[in-house]
Amino acid sequence: MNPVLKWMRFSFAWMLFCACLPLLFFASPLPLKEGHTHANHSCVLEKDIFQRAYIRNRTYTLAKLARFSDADTDNRFIRQHLYTNIQKEDHCYLMMRVTDIVVTNVLSKLKEQYPSAQEVAFFFTHLNTKLSDCKPLGSQEHLEKNLEEMKDKLIKLGENGKNKAVGELDLLFDYLENACTEAPKKTSKSEKKN
């Protein structure tokens, strides 16, 4: 075989290889960034859901009405103790579960006693439906323990426990909003001027 022809074939193959190498490099999958492993995007609600004045007023009014029937001022269901030993990334999941307990064990049973209880229950059920793919990222041991303590207290207090849970719907509303909505992004001074 002619050495010039052999050299031309070799150089053509070499040029083709060099031209395709960058394409192979960019087509390969890149590893995921480690910093995003704790993000749980299925545990996020839009902030505007909580900004609707009508449902906020209904929830707060129902809570205020129920507090008149609450004779027990020592106990509380919804407060910071729920977050004991729970990672911040799991706060929304926890509040979703608390909401389910309140809707299932309280609001669904008190529809006749409180006006707008069914409407507020529907709102909270709607939020839980939006969070249906939300799963805990950390250990569930403390989470389940905190929820079990809340359920036990609700059963122990009986009817007064149900009134108390309804009286804390405004707290549930606020905790759910704080845990499940992303904080608004801060804009710098230069962005505000533009």
Side-chain angles (χ1 to χ4, degrees):
M1 181 180 226
N2 186 349
V4 175
L5 191 58
K6 192 175 182 181
W7 182 83
M8 285 177 58
R9 283 185 186 163
F10 175 75
S11 63
F12 177 73
W14 182 251
M15 286 184 346
L16 187 63
F17 174 75
C18 290
C20 292
L21 187 61
L23 294 174
L24 291 172
F25 176 73
F26 288 119
S28 67
L30 296 173
L32 295 174
K33 290 184 178 179
E34 301 247 349
H36 295 291
T37 56
H38 292 294
N40 196 348
H41 299 291
S42 60
C43 293
V44 177
L45 293 169
E46 300 86 30
K47 186 85 170 162
D48 67 330
I49 292 174
F50 295 94
Q51 301 304 318
R52 297 176 185 152
Y54 176 78
I55 196 64
R56 182 180 287 271
N57 289 339
R58 287 294 227 195
T59 305
Y60 279 57
T61 302
L62 180 58
K64 189 175 182 179
L65 180 64
R67 279 195 288 270
F68 290 124
S69 303
D70 183 11
D72 181 5
T73 56
D74 295 334
N75 290 300
R76 203 169 219 184
F77 292 117
I78 301 168
R79 60 184 177 122
Q80 249 351 82
H81 80 284
L82 283 170
Y83 292 151
T84 303
N85 298 319
I86 307 295
Q87 296 177 4
K88 186 168 178 58
E89 293 84 17
D90 289 336
H91 286 188
C92 183
Y93 176 79
L94 175 69
M95 293 316 300
M96 177 190 77
R97 294 279 306 276
V98 169
T99 302
D100 185 53
I101 291 167
V102 170
V103 169
T104 305
N105 299 318
V106 178
L107 286 176
S108 64
K109 294 176 175 34
L110 298 177
K111 292 177 190 173
E112 316 305 321
Q113 187 175 345
Y114 293 108
S116 73
Q118 187 167 359
E119 193 174 13
V120 172
F122 178 76
F123 170 74
F124 282 120
T125 302
H126 173 70
L127 295 183
N128 273 12
T129 301
K130 286 183 156 289
L131 293 170
S132 62
D133 292 332
C134 182
K135 303 290 181 239
L137 295 173
S139 169
Q140 292 187 42
E141 181 183 347
H142 294 295
L143 199 138
E144 293 300 329
K145 179 180 172 276
N146 294 355
L147 289 168
E148 201 57 44
E149 286 175 4
M150 181 189 162
K151 284 192 261 185
D152 289 347
K153 189 186 287 187
L154 184 62
I155 291 167
K156 180 181 165 192
L157 293 174
E159 283 303 309
N160 195 45
K162 291 176 184 171
N163 286 326
K164 177 172 285 308
V166 175
E168 293 181 6
L169 285 174
D170 54 343
L171 297 173
L172 177 60
F173 188 96
D174 292 341
Y175 270 73
L176 197 57
E177 179 181 13
N178 292 335
C180 298
T181 59
E182 294 179 331
K185 295 177 183 174
K186 294 182 180 180
T187 55
S188 64
K189 291 180 182 179
S190 61
E191 289 178 27
K192 288 180 183 177
K193 289 179 183 177
N194 295 335

